[in-house]
Amino acid sequence: MHACLLTVLMSCAQSCPLWSVCRTEGRLNMDPASLPEQLSVVNEQVLNSSGRSVTAAVSLRRFLCYGSESATYSTRECALGIESALALMQLIEGGRGCEVVEEIRRSNLEGRAVRANPSLFALAVCSQHADCRTRQAALRALKDLCRTPAQLFTFVQYKKELRQGSGMWGRALRRAVTDWYNSQDGMSLARTVTKCKHRAGWSHQDLLRLSHMKPANDSECLLWMVTCHRLMFIIEITCILTSKGWKGVQEAYGDKETSEDVQKVFAYLEAVEKAKRCTDEQELIHLIEEQRLEKEQILTNHLKSKEVWKALLKEMPMAVLLKHLGNLTANKVLAAASADVAAVCERIQDETALKKVSILRQW
């Protein structure tokens, strides 16, 4: 069983055109220089953080790929800082900031990066630079790079560290954070907020407050809902849920007229809250299937059940599926020659789906 799934995964990895991988002493040797050149400064030589002379474009790609300008990838994650991104700094200081932002964006969207954090750090550096065009380009790319709340929180934390305690919440950052939330519909936002409430010392309440998005009171919130600003209303509901629970949401809005979209969000949030208190396995499975609940919204105690995992498996995102594939096999949730195994094998061989989730970066 393990051998079957491993064979499928290895065939997927070997067919990927982005990487040239070989094993040496427990580490992976990757060569970003084999990728087509995009930056116009391809012939500019710089000293990387290892003291070797390479082109600026290659050093930048290495940093974006795995967080180091060295040619060798290690499974141990490197600490990110200005001293480990010399090529990035030299390109920005040389007036190539907009090209750097485009390279960051392209690297991320094409799934070249093994880790997401180096790209977020590089974007934060660009968003802090004195050049106005570089800052604007970096904040425009925020929605493309920060697909999850965890990534958004990490980006904001990098900005805080780079500013060394001084004020960073200018108009541009407030607008970028506002756009990140406003780009999602009500249900997407409810799923997002309930799956990841805080990370890197930041929460949704923090960002809403500092970006000046949070309504001042309930009546203002309802006024915005009537004037088609329903998304703000949903944000307020989800924030109350994270801080006061479902009881707080009911006390604040349970007796007020709401739109059909908001009622769907209410039903979803209620299902999330019920799943936390549910003791009946069949009822929990029903909630998972009806509202498409995900692993992050299920209590750890419930994840001991094979039937709960099978219910989650039906709508499980690709990245989450691959992350837990070993456990699903070891715990015999995926039984040999079962329909579930056939469905999983079909999904992980879908090239379009793998590219859509930037599979190498997610791993």
Side-chain angles (χ1 to χ4, degrees):
M1 181 60 207
H2 289 279
C4 174
L5 291 175
L6 182 60
T7 301
V8 173
L9 289 173
M10 289 302 295
S11 66
C12 292
Q14 291 171 359
S15 65
C16 179
L18 298 177
W19 298 100
S20 175
V21 181
C22 64
R23 288 192 220 184
T24 55
E25 300 177 356
R27 297 182 294 179
L28 298 177
N29 189 20
M30 304 180 183
D31 187 12
S34 64
L35 296 171
E37 297 287 1
Q38 300 290 345
L39 288 173
S40 62
V41 289
V42 293
N43 295 320
E44 181 181 342
Q45 296 288 321
V46 298
L47 290 177
N48 63 16
S49 55
S50 301
R52 297 181 179 179
S53 178
V54 294
T55 64
V58 170
S59 287
L60 176 62
R61 287 203 196 100
R62 288 173 178 171
F63 180 80
L64 296 177
C65 178
Y66 42 80
S68 171
E69 294 182 348
S70 168
T72 303
Y73 166 71
S74 173
T75 55
R76 180 177 299 176
E77 192 162 358
C78 304
L80 300 178
I82 298 298
E83 65 282 354
S84 62
L86 300 182
L88 169 68
M89 297 306 301
Q90 291 185 39
L91 287 170
I92 296 175
E93 295 297 336
R96 303 288 184 176
C98 291
E99 292 179 58
V100 169
V101 171
E102 182 56 31
E103 184 69 18
I104 295 170
R105 181 179 174 277
R106 185 185 302 111
S107 174
N108 194 273
L109 293 181
E110 292 179 1
R112 300 179 195 167
V114 175
R115 301 183 177 109
N117 284 2
S119 294
L120 299 176
F121 176 82
L123 193 71
V125 171
C126 292
S127 72
Q128 305 272 91
H129 196 261
D131 179 59
C132 181
R133 291 187 303 166
T134 300
R135 294 199 307 271
Q136 292 174 347
L139 292 175
R140 282 197 301 269
L142 184 66
K143 286 188 291 186
D144 291 331
L145 269 72
C146 297
R147 299 183 184 89
T148 67
Q151 292 171 342
L152 180 63
F153 296 150
T154 300
F155 169 80
V156 172
Q157 178 59 22
Y158 282 141
K159 282 186 67 68
K160 179 182 178 181
E161 293 172 358
L162 290 167
R163 295 288 289 190
Q164 297 180 342
S166 59
M168 67 176 190
W169 285 93
R171 183 182 303 173
L173 179 58
R174 294 200 302 269
R175 186 186 303 116
V177 171
T178 298
D179 290 344
W180 190 90
Y181 283 99
N182 284 336
S183 64
Q184 304 180 59
D185 60 44
M187 280 302 298
S188 297
L189 188 63
R191 294 181 190 280
T192 294
V193 173
T194 53
K195 283 173 59 179
C196 179
K197 299 178 182 179
H198 49 79
R199 186 71 59 86
W202 295 90
S203 67
H204 294 285
Q205 292 97 318
D206 295 330
L207 299 194
L208 294 175
R209 173 175 52 84
L210 292 168
S211 63
H212 299 176
M213 288 182 62
K214 189 173 181 179
N217 50 59
D218 294 348
S219 60
E220 182 177 332
C221 190
L222 287 173
L223 176 62
W224 286 1
M225 181 184 68
V226 172
T227 57
C228 299
H229 290 79
R230 293 189 178 93
L231 185 58
M232 298 299 299
F233 179 63
I234 292 168
I235 292 173
E236 177 70 5
I237 292 173
T238 52
C239 284
I240 292 176
L241 179 71
T242 58
S243 60
K244 300 181 180 179
W246 178 246
K247 184 177 180 180
V249 174
Q250 289 178 314
E251 291 176 352
Y253 299 108
D255 59 345
K256 297 174 182 175
E257 185 179 353
T258 57
S259 68
E260 183 179 350
D261 291 340
V262 175
Q263 288 175 3
K264 290 180 180 178
V265 173
F266 268 135
Y268 178 79
L269 295 177
E270 185 176 13
V272 171
E273 189 66 18
K274 283 183 178 179
K276 295 178 182 179
R277 305 191 309 267
C278 184
T279 57
D280 181 78
E281 184 176 285
Q282 292 303 315
E283 181 183 359
L284 178 60
I285 291 173
H286 174 73
L287 291 172
I288 292 172
E289 294 176 344
E290 182 182 44
Q291 294 292 344
R292 299 175 59 189
L293 301 185
E294 299 184 35
K295 172 186 170 291
E296 293 83 356
Q297 297 156 328
I298 306 301
L299 295 180
T300 304
N301 188 51
H302 294 149
L303 295 177
K304 298 177 182 178
S305 167
K306 293 181 183 179
E307 297 305 318
V308 169
W309 272 105
K310 287 182 179 181
L312 292 169
L313 194 61
K314 296 176 182 178
E315 298 289 342
M316 186 173 289
M318 178 70 77
V320 179
L321 171 62
L322 290 173
K323 181 179 180 180
H324 295 282
L325 191 57
N327 290 333
L328 291 171
T329 306
N331 296 331
K332 298 182 180 179
V333 175
L334 296 175
S338 68
D340 290 332
V341 170
V344 168
C345 289
E346 183 178 356
R347 286 188 65 189
I348 62 179
Q349 293 182 88
D350 186 340
E351 184 177 352
T352 302
L354 293 176
K355 288 182 177 179
K356 186 176 180 180
V357 297
S358 300
I359 193 64
L360 291 174
R361 182 179 59 81
Q362 292 287 353
W363 277 14

